[in-house]
Amino acid sequence: MTKIIDFQTDPSKYRHWKIDYDGPVANLYMDVDENGGLFEGYELKLNSYDLGVDIELADIVQRMRFEHPEVKVIVMQSAKDKVFCAGANIRMLGGAAHSHKVNFCKFTNETRNTYEAALADSGQNYICAVKGACAGGGYELALACNHIMLTDDSTSSVALPEVPLLAVLPGTGGLTRVTDKRKVRRDRADVFCSIEEGVKGKRAKEWRLVDEVIPNSKFDETVVARAREMAANSDKVDVAQGIELTPLSRSFTADGITYSTVEVVLNRSAKRATVTIKGPDAAAPADVDALAAQGAEAWILRCARELDDAILHLRNNEKELGLIEFQTQGDPELVIAHEALLLANKDHWLANEILQYWKRVLKRVDMTSRSLVAIVEHGSCFAGPLAELLWAVDRSYMMLEEFDGDNRPLATVTLSDGNFGTYKMGNDLTRLETRFLGTPEDIATLEGLKGQQLEADAADDAGLVTYVYDDIDWEDEVRLFMEERASFSPDAMTGMEANLRFAGPETMETRIFGRLTAWQNWIFQRPNAVGPDGALQRYGTGMRGEYNMERV
Amino acid sequence: MIDLINVSYDTQIPNNVNLSQDKKVLKALEKWHPGYINWWNDLIPQNFQESMVYLRTAVSVDPKGWAKFDYVKMPEYRWGVLLAPAVEDRKIPMGEHYGEPAWQEVPGEYRNMLKRLIVIQGDTEPGSVEQQRFLGLTAPSLYDMRNLFQVNVEEGRHLWAMVYLLQKYFGRDGREEADDLLVRSSGSDDSPRMLGAFNEETPDWLSFFMFTYFTDRDGKMQLESLAQSGFDPLSRTCRFMLTEEAHHMFVGETGVGRTIQATLEAMNKAGITDPYDINKIRDLGVIDLPTIQKKLNLHYTLSLDLFGQEVSTNAANAFNYGIKGRYMEQRIDDDHKLQNDTYAVTSVKDGKIITEDVPALTAINMRLRDDYVRDAAGGVGRWNKQIAKAGIDYEFKMPHEGFHRQIGVFSAVAVDPDGNIMSSDEWHKRKDEWLPTKADGDYIQSLMVPCYEPGKYASWIAAPKVGIDNKPGDFEYVKLHMA
Ligand SMILES: [Fe+2]
Ligand SMILES: [Fe+2]
């Protein structure tokens, strides 16, 4: 699987989903095109999905927020008879390289989290109407919705059959949401996750697996009524007009990608990529109306979209590049001004959406399994949302004092209000709170520094960067770090970084990306699942997986 | 008269499973029984419930004398629990457990799969009774009415057989599934029967005959393959059910044959030789052959859908685990494991119907369907002989397996009865040529007038050659209760 995976799409290209917009309610139909798989070698039968199906879903969720802010309730359902969704395509999983499976799961997890949080973040509530078989990844799609309605036709059921059927886990949040979100009693969860056929009817409700069980003859009308009712009770402010998410300006070359605000340079021999973010080249829009008029052209939205795409591209298409280096260029004051407009108008729908989007993009950075480093050079603009990158990465290096022959403004770091609660991590703490977990009192001190352009010494004193080096040491130190990093085992790096990045409390999100994903990825390496005689390989042949019965 | 409240199961249920000693199952069946009787009573019109019907009741599993005939009111029919005699030292006949002793208890790892197969089979049994519930009102003769009720009570007994297995071997889950078998009902919005063909209407007697010929034959094929099961109680149950199923197909084949016979005789008498002279033929009060062909097309294709996806993981698993075999498994000359074999399966690629070899294990459904097609062709050939004998130039054809399909590879394409792929628009434009129209249905319905006089038959159907239990032509097969 060496084909380039593109994460950009738009409604004219959808093959797997259909949407009917009905005022404040959107009906979202899953209707997977069997022959529309991203790769050869499998058919997407029974509404099973692959990464391509999920890329469309992610696009839908994103456009729902920006292009359809009038929508308050989204009803996820199947356009196919007798089946809601059979989950991730097994043949695709069986044929995929380990790295693809892992990236696939990560992206689908991010998409689930994104529409699950759409209610809290954007006032858009995803609910789910289940008719027909809803198994594995299908039920995980439903679990990420905030209200599940199941028809009682004495056949339709919800199920997590991965363990008995495939010897893997329901890894797209399934196990975690059953216990943490739906709060199913653990012994019942144990039963539920061990039976292929799942649970139907009243018991599904009694066990908290769904919210409502509705007689089949009343199902469609009840779903419509429930959606209207929820839309009527929504406290989301009415918005008449969204903005269009126009295609990104993006060009690929042999060793890089150029966006309007992001430049990616691939250094394949050194196994590293440099992502340089260019700050705004003009003043912030005067007010939110001017912002809305700029729409997708506004720097702060454009930059988030381009950075998001760049990260996804690197994750999925440049797997050999183990180190991502973040740089910025521009005027920190302008970055602060563009962010300030949003922070001052948080209750305006578009300002809110852009801030929430930055939160998600920064989480995407947190979740990227590469060594991450920020290089804070002169002329850079690590300010506000871009300063968050300093604490998302594993280490940061900052230029100290003037460099010979470098006339760019001295490197600085600028804190804003945004750094103190707008862009929370998956652990529900800000990056600064996570960074200073042992000295929470430092946060108050940092608040006092807001708006100041902190040069290297001050940034170092405040603990905002790892190392500051002057002209004499800079080049060697940065080079040594990068060479050393490139020499370590990528597996050990991924494991170490993932453990160190998320200090502090567990949340459902960290449990999904930590505990569940780690166990799943372990199982994805084990012969019981993926060996030639393992359950995943044998699925569909009629022969059972052969298991090594030793408990490890 | 049976006391329905305090049924003495020991004496009233013919059984060879030692029910009176099996307190646990007895209790479960006792709990289930009132719901079953309610289901039956709510279903069939009351005056038929009170009528005395000359029925065959299974009383033992001795191949020579397994049934006796007598007048009985249907609700008092003795729904026996009968398993074919145990084969001594029986071995699992296929799959990875080939040659191991057959299981007398359910193996834990296959419990869910076995349960699902039994539930699906069990769900079809009452389904057809529900579909046929009103046909008594338009019976073309007492002979046919009796056959209808015979089929109905035996389907009821088949439900009992499946319920017995669920209650005996599948614990609480099994009991719940047994209850749900009475909750689902044919054509219901709230809880339809599990398989499509059992939610279609059986609006007239020709449909009933086509159904018993084509759809009961699917039942036969399913029972034949479950009779191979390594789970011995299932195997024995299905083997005995097959003896009854044979009669259902007999009712179907002779029913269609007698319908054709009436048409042929009427045409000959009126001097009509053109089978397509439909209006003139219909004026004779019989069903023209092209309309019979349309009915055949409909029921045959609905029945093909019952075989599921051509390539199926579930079917592969069931075979490999020793739960469900092939038709006539023992007579097939291979290793009965199929791990390295292939089987030719039809599929649609780039707009063409092709055949490709796939791993034989995954093609179990396709293979059973192929066996079914061969099996079903026999009666169609005999009908054609009847037509030829009458000197009419007409032949029934089994439509192409891709025609009018909802399940499997052909569900995505529009195929005509000759096997040509066409646009869906074109297909819909022409579908009235191939499938019964509303007008066809209305015409057939107009013929459906009851004929309750012993020895008399409605215009559209000929008398049978031989009576049931060798009874004479004017035998009163049903003593109707007149309310
Ligand atoms: Fe039957
Ligand atoms: Fe039957």
Side-chain angles (χ1 to χ4, degrees):
Chain A
M1 295 194 175
T2 48
K3 161 177 168 178
I4 295 284
I5 299 170
D6 188 357
F7 288 83
Q8 294 302 312
T9 185
D10 67 68
S12 70
K13 302 193 185 95
Y14 294 166
R15 297 184 68 171
H16 308 299
W17 299 86
K18 298 185 174 75
I19 316 166
D20 283 345
Y21 294 97
D22 179 13
V25 174
N27 286 298
L28 173 56
Y29 296 98
M30 188 176 201
D31 193 6
V32 177
D33 176 354
E34 280 192 9
N35 302 313
L38 200 52
F39 301 100
E40 295 288 301
Y42 54 87
E43 287 174 339
L44 296 173
K45 294 200 165 146
L46 300 170
N47 262 359
S48 61
Y49 60 83
D50 68 354
L51 183 57
V53 177
D54 236 75
I55 288 173
E56 284 185 13
L57 177 59
D59 190 68
I60 287 164
V61 173
Q62 179 77 342
R63 286 180 199 276
M64 196 68 77
R65 291 173 142 131
F66 284 96
E67 300 189 348
H68 296 279
E70 77 282 4
V71 171
K72 298 175 178 176
V73 174
I74 299 94
V75 188
M76 190 181 285
Q77 53 210 299
S78 166
K80 292 199 164 38
D81 228 20
K82 295 192 182 123
V83 61
F84 175 77
C85 166
N89 187 280
I90 309 302
R91 282 176 208 272
M92 178 278 293
L93 282 179
H98 178 72
S99 54
H100 180 78
K101 284 202 277 285
V102 171
N103 273 315
F104 167 71
C105 289
K106 181 171 287 179
F107 184 76
T108 52
N109 266 319
E110 287 172 329
T111 308
R112 306 295 167 277
N113 288 348
T114 297
Y115 68 77
E116 181 171 53
L119 176 60
D121 290 354
S122 313
Q124 292 186 327
N125 195 8
Y126 283 75
I127 66 175
C128 190
V130 179
K131 228 179 185 177
C134 174
Y139 181 48
E140 291 178 313
L141 272 173
L143 279 170
C145 293
N146 298 316
H147 186 80
I148 308 176
M149 293 167 279
L150 174 67
T151 189
D152 193 3
D153 59 3
S154 80
T155 316
S156 296
S157 64
V158 296
L160 291 177
E162 283 87 343
V163 167
L165 209 59
L166 305 167
V168 300
L169 304 180
T172 314
L175 292 180
T176 317
R177 285 198 175 87
V178 163
T179 52
D180 292 33
K181 181 181 187 184
R182 305 217 49 103
K183 300 183 169 56
V184 175
R185 227 171 62 194
R186 59 167 280 194
D187 51 350
R188 286 175 169 170
D190 182 276
V191 172
F192 175 62
C193 297
S194 319
I195 47 175
E196 233 179 89
E197 76 231 42
V199 172
K200 63 188 176 188
K202 309 233 157 27
R203 181 172 299 158
K205 163 95 164 56
E206 195 188 310
W207 285 20
R208 307 177 61 93
L209 297 165
V210 303
D211 296 285
E212 279 186 87
V213 173
I214 300 158
N216 196 40
S217 55
K218 301 253 160 54
F219 188 70
D220 294 342
E221 58 185 279
T222 308
V223 169
V224 170
R226 196 70 75 243
R228 293 232 174 93
E229 193 180 293
M230 286 179 168
N233 294 334
S234 160
D235 48 20
K236 182 175 179 7
V237 178
D238 289 315
V239 181
Q241 184 71 49
I243 61 155
E244 190 191 345
L245 293 180
T246 48
L248 296 184
S249 126
R250 181 179 68 164
S251 60
F252 290 90
T253 57
D255 49 8
I257 317 165
T258 304
Y259 300 87
S260 70
T261 68
V262 174
E263 183 81 38
V264 179
V265 176
L266 309 172
N267 184 342
R268 292 207 168 84
S269 59
K271 301 207 178 312
R272 120 177 139 245
T274 304
V275 176
T276 305
I277 299 168
K278 290 176 241 168
D281 49 12
D287 52 28
V288 282
D289 292 335
L291 174 74
Q294 288 185 10
E297 285 307 305
W299 173 84
I300 198 156
L301 175 53
R302 204 157 28 102
C303 184
R305 292 180 71 202
E306 293 174 353
L307 179 57
D308 201 15
D309 188 66
I311 297 290
L312 287 170
H313 177 82
L314 289 172
R315 273 192 193 173
N316 287 277
N317 298 315
E318 298 291 349
K319 298 192 187 106
E320 299 266 298
L321 307 184
L323 176 67
I324 299 176
E325 172 191 344
F326 287 100
Q327 297 218 24
T328 59
Q329 279 171 15
D331 180 353
E333 233 172 280
L334 278 178
V335 176
I336 294 291
H338 279 254
E339 186 202 31
L341 173 72
L342 306 185
L343 293 172
N345 292 283
K346 269 182 179 168
D347 44 8
H348 182 268
W349 78 272
L350 181 56
N352 174 59
E353 288 302 351
I354 297 173
L355 289 171
Q356 299 292 357
Y357 185 31
W358 268 102
K359 177 175 84 177
R360 295 196 294 278
V361 175
L362 289 163
K363 281 193 197 185
R364 188 101 80 192
V365 174
D366 294 333
M367 291 306 311
T368 297
S369 301
R370 308 292 166 90
S371 294
L372 304 176
V373 63
I375 301 294
V376 187
E377 292 192 4
H378 294 326
S380 64
C381 55
F382 284 97
L386 300 186
E388 291 285 324
L389 288 168
L390 297 173
W391 318 309
V393 299
D394 302 302
R395 289 189 198 179
S396 55
Y397 290 80
M398 185 169 183
M399 285 184 172
L400 172 67
E401 297 160 359
E402 299 208 341
F403 275 42
D404 205 21
D406 186 343
N407 60 0
R408 296 176 296 179
L410 284 186
T412 58
V413 173
T414 313
L415 301 178
S416 72
D417 278 331
N419 300 126
F420 296 89
T422 303
Y423 315 109
K424 285 191 175 178
M425 298 172 60
N427 60 9
D428 211 30
L429 299 181
T430 64
R431 283 181 190 74
L432 287 174
E433 285 167 340
T434 307
R435 189 175 181 85
F436 297 104
L437 203 59
T439 51
E441 63 280 6
D442 286 358
I443 302 293
T445 317
L446 290 170
E447 289 217 53
L449 300 175
K450 274 190 293 197
Q452 300 177 30
Q453 295 187 11
L454 305 170
E455 292 184 3
D457 274 335
D460 192 24
D461 281 350
L464 298 176
V465 291
T466 315
Y467 291 113
V468 296
Y469 292 115
D470 62 15
D471 198 9
I472 302 167
D473 292 328
W474 175 260
E475 211 163 304
D476 265 354
E477 291 292 343
V478 170
R479 179 182 59 81
L480 283 172
F481 162 71
M482 292 187 181
E483 286 176 6
E484 179 195 63
R485 208 69 176 183
S487 74
F488 289 140
S489 153
D491 300 340
M493 279 301 98
T494 296
M496 179 185 90
E497 290 154 3
N499 275 281
L500 299 182
R501 282 180 198 170
F502 301 92
E506 288 274 28
T507 62
M508 193 166 77
E509 201 171 317
T510 61
R511 271 168 45 71
I512 289 171
F513 284 120
R515 186 183 296 265
L516 180 58
T517 301
W519 281 113
Q520 178 78 313
N521 291 348
W522 177 72
I523 291 169
F524 273 162
Q525 293 281 29
R526 297 276 298 163
N528 288 342
V530 297
D533 303 323
L536 210 51
Q537 288 302 322
R538 284 199 166 176
Y539 180 77
T541 65
M543 284 180 278
R544 273 184 307 170
E546 258 170 45
Y547 303 145
N548 174 346
M549 297 316 270
E550 182 194 22
R551 284 278 185 139
V552 179
Chain B
M1 165 96 197
I2 299 177
D3 179 349
L4 289 179
I5 309 299
N6 301 300
V7 180
S8 162
Y9 281 79
D10 199 11
T11 55
Q12 296 299 348
I13 298 198
N15 73 84
N16 64 347
V17 292
N18 211 1
L19 215 45
S20 62
Q21 301 303 308
D22 197 341
K23 295 291 178 232
K24 213 179 68 191
V25 177
L26 201 54
K27 213 174 115 200
L29 279 173
E30 272 170 2
K31 270 200 164 153
W32 185 79
H33 183 261
Y36 174 78
I37 290 296
N38 284 342
W39 170 79
W40 190 270
N41 276 327
D42 291 345
L43 202 61
I44 309 276
Q46 198 54 37
N47 59 322
F48 298 128
Q49 308 269 15
E50 298 285 323
S51 298
M52 300 298 283
V53 187
Y54 192 69
L55 291 177
R56 158 180 94 168
T57 302
V59 290
S60 94
V61 292
D62 183 346
K64 280 174 231 133
W66 63 274
K68 71 179 183 57
F69 287 88
D70 203 354
Y71 284 105
V72 59
K73 290 184 189 169
M74 281 186 281
E76 295 167 13
Y77 183 80
R78 292 163 56 154
W79 326 91
V81 174
L82 297 162
L83 275 57
V87 173
E88 212 180 315
D89 207 20
R90 181 168 175 262
K91 301 283 194 284
I92 297 169
M94 68 276 165
E96 63 182 39
H97 299 292
Y98 177 81
E100 295 172 22
W103 305 299
Q104 298 306 323
E105 292 291 335
V106 177
E109 58 199 309
Y110 304 139
R111 189 177 201 249
N112 284 324
M113 173 173 274
L114 266 166
K115 189 183 70 189
R116 193 171 61 227
L117 287 173
I118 292 171
V119 167
I120 292 172
Q121 181 61 38
D123 195 63
T124 64
E125 310 291 356
S128 61
V129 184
E130 289 159 358
Q131 290 169 293
Q132 298 156 11
R133 56 192 297 189
F134 294 120
L135 289 179
L137 299 169
T138 55
S141 71
L142 293 179
Y143 167 88
D144 288 292
M145 183 189 277
R146 177 262 162 216
N147 282 350
L148 167 71
F149 291 153
Q150 181 73 59
V151 170
N152 288 168
V153 293
E154 281 173 354
E155 299 302 4
R157 201 198 69 74
H158 294 174
L159 172 61
W160 269 84
M162 293 297 127
V163 164
Y164 167 75
L165 291 177
L166 288 171
Q167 295 190 329
K168 165 107 179 138
Y169 295 100
F170 295 90
R172 198 189 70 171
D173 284 358
R175 288 198 298 281
E176 284 176 7
E177 292 290 359
D179 291 342
D180 277 356
L181 287 171
L182 295 176
V183 171
R184 281 187 292 272
S185 111
S186 178
S188 153
D189 279 342
D190 271 337
S191 51
R193 290 292 166 194
M194 295 166 96
L195 302 175
F198 293 88
N199 289 308
E200 298 287 328
E201 276 183 52
T202 307
D204 57 63
W205 277 79
L206 184 53
S207 284
F208 169 66
F209 294 138
M210 289 293 182
F211 185 96
T212 42
Y213 185 77
F214 285 111
T215 307
D216 276 79
R217 190 174 308 274
D218 159 71
K220 167 187 163 182
M221 304 309 285
Q222 302 300 337
L223 292 175
E224 286 276 8
S225 48
L226 291 173
Q228 308 296 333
S229 184
F231 177 48
D232 205 41
L234 176 61
S235 164
R236 293 174 56 198
T237 305
C238 291
R239 265 152 54 210
F240 188 72
M241 287 162 75
L242 280 163
T243 56
E244 290 157 318
E245 213 59 64
H247 175 67
H248 305 176
M249 284 172 293
F250 161 84
V251 169
E253 181 173 340
T254 55
V256 176
R258 288 161 53 219
T259 307
I260 296 167
Q261 194 58 34
T263 305
L264 296 172
E265 284 168 12
M267 283 170 71
N268 281 342
K269 207 168 145 200
I272 302 172
T273 51
D274 178 7
Y276 297 96
D277 203 348
I278 288 171
N279 290 334
K280 267 201 197 152
I281 296 169
R282 286 188 177 182
D283 284 345
L284 307 171
V286 293
I287 305 170
D288 51 282
L289 302 179
T291 299
I292 297 176
Q293 172 75 56
K294 287 187 193 176
K295 284 279 209 191
L296 180 159
N297 290 350
L298 176 68
H299 287 274
Y300 174 61
T301 52
L302 286 172
S303 303
L304 288 179
D305 276 344
L306 293 171
F307 290 86
Q309 303 283 342
E310 287 82 357
V311 172
S312 158
T313 302
N314 281 338
N317 289 342
F319 180 88
N320 191 45
Y321 300 169
I323 285 170
K324 191 175 171 186
R326 291 170 292 177
Y327 183 53
M328 304 282 179
E329 182 70 44
Q330 263 112 341
R331 294 198 202 156
I332 299 173
D333 182 23
D334 62 15
D335 70 353
H336 303 280
K337 293 186 173 173
L338 302 183
Q339 303 212 345
N340 304 307
D341 297 353
T342 59
Y343 189 81
V345 165
T346 44
S347 70
V348 180
K349 284 259 155 69
D350 304 323
K352 285 199 191 71
I353 297 173
I354 58 158
T355 314
E356 50 184 2
D357 284 338
V358 306
L361 266 180
T362 65
I364 292 292
N365 282 347
M366 180 77 198
R367 178 169 185 133
L368 191 64
R369 197 176 85 195
D370 286 344
D371 288 327
Y372 168 83
V373 170
R374 272 190 290 276
D375 200 62
V380 178
R382 285 185 285 277
W383 297 333
N384 282 335
K385 280 211 187 91
Q386 251 178 285
I387 302 174
K389 214 169 138 194
I392 305 286
D393 185 18
Y394 190 85
E395 230 176 44
F396 289 120
K397 284 201 191 81
M398 314 246 283
H400 187 272
E401 61 187 330
F403 171 67
H404 185 235
R405 297 294 306 281
Q406 311 297 320
I407 291 186
V409 293
F410 293 113
S411 61
V413 285
V415 178
D416 76 6
D418 294 326
N420 304 307
I421 294 189
M422 54 180 54
S423 76
S424 163
D425 281 352
E426 169 81 1
W427 191 93
H428 279 281
K429 249 181 247 156
R430 298 189 54 191
K431 94 181 208 281
D432 286 356
E433 295 171 36
W434 308 318
L435 292 169
T437 62
K438 179 150 188 318
D440 295 331
D442 289 348
Y443 171 67
I444 296 175
Q445 210 49 254
S446 75
L447 299 178
M448 295 297 127
V449 287
C451 183
Y452 289 166
E453 204 180 312
K456 290 274 175 334
Y457 289 82
S459 65
W460 59 272
I461 190 164
K465 291 205 179 74
V466 201
I468 293 294
D469 196 27
N470 285 318
K471 293 295 172 200
D474 60 351
F475 184 73
E476 192 175 9
Y477 288 100
V478 182
K479 292 184 180 160
L480 278 173
H481 173 85
M482 294 304 169

